[in-house]
Amino acid sequence: MAENGKSEGKPLRIGIEAIAFDIPEHYLEMADLATARGVEPAKYTAGLGQKQMAVATPCEDTVVLAAGAGQRLIKNFNIDPKSISMLIVGTETGVDHSKPVSSYVHQILGLSSECRVFEIKHACYGAMAGLTTAVNYILSGRAKGRKALVIASDIARYGKNTVGEPTQGAGAVAMLISDNPQLLEIDYNNEGFYATQVMDFWRPLYSKEAFADGHFSIQCYLDALSGAYNLYKKGDEANGAQSKAANGKFEACLYHVPFVKMAQKAHQRLLETDGGQKFEKDSPELKAALQDFEKRVAPALELNARVGNIYTGALFLSLAYLLESSAGKLAGKPISLFSYGSGCGAEFMGAKIMEGADRLMKVESNEEILSKRRQVNMAKYEEILDACSKMDLNDEENLCQPEKWDLKRPVLYLGTQNHKRIYSVNGVVLN
Ligand code: CAA
C-alpha cells in the first residue's frame, strides 16, 4: 500500500494508468472556413497547422464530452468505477457559476459517493493543475490504493468572423492517475512552474465566447514556457543533472496546442532558452530547431490538427496520440509535458512512457474514433453556432432537439428547464 511516497521501501511510481478522449460528432474542414472568410486556405493549414475543426452541437456540452471520455476510459481499460475516490474536471467552459461539471459527470459515470468531486478552472491549465493534485493525492498515501480520475473538457469558441475563429475546437480527455502507471510514469521529483497576471485571453461572465489579444497571448505563452523551463532546469541541476540543456534527455516534447504551429514556436523557444538568445532567421540554429521539431514534437500533433483547440485538454490530446502511435518505439523513454493557461499559469514536467503501453492503447484506435465523425458545411456550422448561443437559456422553446443534430452518442444535454440542466443517458432523462 502506498504511504508517504514509498511502497515497501521503494519510491512510489505514480502516473497515468488509463487514458481516453471524446470529441464532437461533427467537424468542419479548415479550407471551407478559410474560403468562406475570404482567407487563403494555406494561412489556416500551413500558417496555423490546422486541418479540421471539431464542432460541438447544442446537445454536446462540456459535461457530455467529459462523460464520453470517462465512459470510454472505463470501458476500454476495464476500470472498476468503485476504485475511483477522486474526480477532478478541469475546464474553462463550465456550465454553471456554482455547480461543478464534475457533479454531473460523477452521476453519469456511476462513481461511488465515497469520492472527492470538484472542478478546477484556470483557462487551459486547469487539467494540469488537476493532474498534479491527483499525483500529490496518491503520493501522500491517503488514496490507500484507490485512484483519481482527471478529465479535461472544453468547447473553444471565439465566434463567427473573429480572428480566433480558426483556432476553435472541442473535446475531452480522461486520465486515470494511480500507483499503477501502466501508460506513463510522472517524475514528481522535479517540476517547473510559472505565473503572472496578464490579459491575454479571458471570458467575462456574460459571454459564451472567449476574448483574446491573439499575438500578445502567443508572447505570454512563450514567456511562461521560458519561466517554467528555467525553474525545471534549476531543479534538474540540484538533482545532479550534468547537462544544462535539460530538454536534451526527452525523446518527445509535448506542449499545450491551441493550434499546431504554436507547438513549433514553443519548441523553438525551449531550445533558445538553453542558449539564452533568439535564433536568427535562416540561421543554422533555426534550421536545426525545425528539424528537431519534426523529430520530437510533430509526431504527436495529428489529433490536434484534426480536432482543433480543446483548451485544457489540448496537451493531453497530443499525449493520447503519442501513446497510441509511438509508445512501442518510446517504451522506457523520458518525455516532457508543458501546460499553459492564459491569465496566466504554466507548468513543465518530465515523465516516462511505460513498457507495454502500446499494447494497452490498441483497444480502440484514434482513427476509428475520428472516422465516426460527420463533416458539416459552412451553412450547418453557422446554424450550429447560432443554436449554441441559445442553448443555455431557461427556455422550453429552445431545448436542444438532439434529433435535429444527427447524434449517436449515449449522453446528451437536452436543455434547461425550471433553471435546471437536463441530461439523458441512452434516452433516459436523469433526475
Ligand atoms: N500561407 C501560409 N502561411 C500564412 C499565410 C499563407 N497564405 N498567411 C499567413 N500565414 C501565416 C503567418 O505568417 C503566421 O505564421 P507565423 O506566426 O509563423 O508567422 C500564421 O499564418 C498566422 O498568421 P497571422 O499571425 O497573421 O494570424 P492572425 O493575425 O489571424 O492570428 C492567432 C493568429 C493570433 C493565433 C489568432 O487565431 C488568435 O487570436 N487565436 C486565439 C488565441 C490563441 O490561440 N493564442 C495562443 C496562445 S494563448 C493559449 O495558448 C491559450 C489558449 O489556448 C487560448
Side-chain angles (χ1 to χ4, degrees):
M1 188 171 294
E3 216 169 311
N4 296 329
K6 294 246 163 68
S7 170
E8 288 163 5
K10 291 190 209 130
L12 195 59
R13 302 175 104 179
I14 302 174
I16 301 180
E17 179 177 335
I19 191 167
F21 68 90
D22 193 22
I23 45 179
E25 293 188 27
H26 298 89
Y27 72 95
L28 181 69
E29 288 290 342
M30 294 310 288
D32 290 351
L33 179 64
T35 307
R37 298 295 179 244
V39 171
E40 277 270 310
K43 175 174 175 185
Y44 293 172
T45 52
L48 295 176
Q50 295 304 121
K51 298 175 185 169
Q52 297 164 346
M53 186 171 94
V55 182
T57 61
C59 302
E60 299 172 294
D61 72 355
T62 308
V63 170
V64 168
L65 294 171
Q71 285 177 324
R72 182 168 274 140
L73 178 145
I74 287 170
K75 180 166 168 271
N76 289 359
F77 288 84
N78 198 18
I79 302 299
D80 175 6
K82 302 280 175 280
S83 67
I84 296 167
S85 59
M86 181 178 274
L87 168 66
I88 306 173
V89 175
T91 183
E92 184 274 317
T93 41
V95 297
D96 190 290
H97 291 311
S98 168
K99 185 166 171 142
V101 167
S102 48
S103 292
Y104 294 106
V105 176
H106 178 258
Q107 179 188 27
I108 296 168
L109 296 184
L111 303 189
S112 161
S113 54
E114 290 178 10
C115 191
R116 283 197 176 88
V117 174
F118 54 98
E119 178 181 307
I120 298 183
K121 179 184 71 180
H122 187 149
C124 306
Y125 173 66
M128 178 58 115
L131 174 64
T132 51
T133 302
V135 168
N136 289 338
Y137 171 54
I138 310 291
L139 189 59
S140 73
R142 295 173 74 185
K144 298 188 171 54
R146 290 170 300 172
K147 303 159 200 276
L149 181 61
V150 178
I151 308 183
S153 184
D154 268 313
I155 297 172
R157 202 154 271 167
Y158 297 89
K160 281 189 261 178
N161 282 303
T162 59
V163 71
E165 189 177 25
T167 62
Q168 298 179 134
V173 184
M175 297 171 283
L176 191 69
I177 314 303
S178 76
D179 58 7
N180 176 27
Q182 49 185 4
L183 299 178
L184 190 82
E185 183 180 347
I186 305 285
D187 175 10
Y188 54 76
N189 291 309
N190 189 16
E191 60 199 349
F193 36 83
Y194 178 89
T196 188
Q197 200 287 110
V198 282
M199 273 319 264
D200 63 329
F201 164 101
W202 65 101
R203 191 165 64 83
L205 288 175
Y206 54 78
S207 179
K208 278 191 154 309
E209 279 134 10
F211 293 82
D213 187 344
H215 292 278
F216 177 56
S217 73
I218 292 173
Q219 282 318 309
C220 294
Y221 175 126
L222 295 175
D223 291 347
L225 170 59
S226 293
Y229 178 56
N230 277 329
L231 186 61
Y232 179 87
K233 287 209 298 184
K234 273 194 205 157
D236 226 26
E237 285 161 26
N239 287 344
Q242 301 300 311
S243 165
K244 287 205 183 304
N247 81 80
K249 65 181 176 230
F250 299 121
E251 297 282 329
C253 301
L254 304 184
Y255 296 95
H256 168 54
V257 193
F259 53 94
V260 161
K261 186 70 146 318
M262 188 70 229
Q264 184 183 317
K265 291 178 193 290
H267 195 60
Q268 180 182 331
R269 172 60 77 91
L270 190 85
L271 302 182
E272 287 173 344
T273 305
D274 280 329
Q277 56 186 349
K278 210 171 153 24
F279 300 148
E280 294 299 326
K281 196 166 174 259
D282 298 327
S283 64
E285 291 83 4
L286 185 57
K287 283 188 189 140
L290 284 175
Q291 280 170 355
D292 197 49
F293 165 78
E294 291 300 333
K295 184 169 159 243
R296 292 200 288 161
V297 187
L301 297 172
E302 179 65 14
L303 274 174
N304 301 92
R306 292 173 67 185
V307 173
N309 195 0
I310 65 164
Y311 290 158
T312 188
L315 163 67
F316 303 108
L317 198 60
S318 96
L319 173 63
Y321 189 77
L322 187 79
L323 283 170
E324 192 204 275
S325 61
S326 314
K329 197 171 70 189
L330 296 177
K333 301 281 189 335
I335 66 166
S336 65
L337 292 95
F338 172 70
S339 166
Y340 174 72
S342 289
C344 75
E347 189 147 344
F348 187 94
M349 63 160 65
K352 186 175 80 179
I353 296 194
M354 302 302 280
E355 301 278 351
D358 55 335
R359 285 194 305 280
L360 294 165
M361 292 299 294
K362 291 277 181 277
V363 181
E364 190 181 14
S365 75
N366 296 330
E367 200 49 54
E368 221 175 311
I369 298 169
L370 287 167
S371 68
K372 287 186 185 137
R373 301 190 299 175
R374 274 90 62 207
Q375 186 182 344
V376 290
N377 60 21
M378 276 305 290
K380 195 74 183 174
Y381 158 72
E382 296 203 340
E383 188 189 346
I384 290 172
L385 250 53
D386 289 342
C388 285
S389 67
K390 298 183 198 130
M391 76 183 185
D392 287 334
L393 300 177
N394 182 43
D395 184 352
E396 307 207 1
E397 296 297 311
N398 277 310
L399 291 184
C400 294
Q401 302 167 306
E403 56 293 342
K404 184 170 171 183
W405 306 113
D406 175 31
L407 295 170
K408 305 193 188 322
R409 59 175 63 249
V411 183
L412 294 167
Y413 168 56
L414 300 179
T416 297
Q417 267 180 334
N418 299 325
H419 307 287
K420 292 177 185 157
R421 296 181 83 80
I422 311 165
Y423 292 93
S424 69
V425 179
N426 294 317
V428 178
V429 174
L430 299 181
N431 289 316

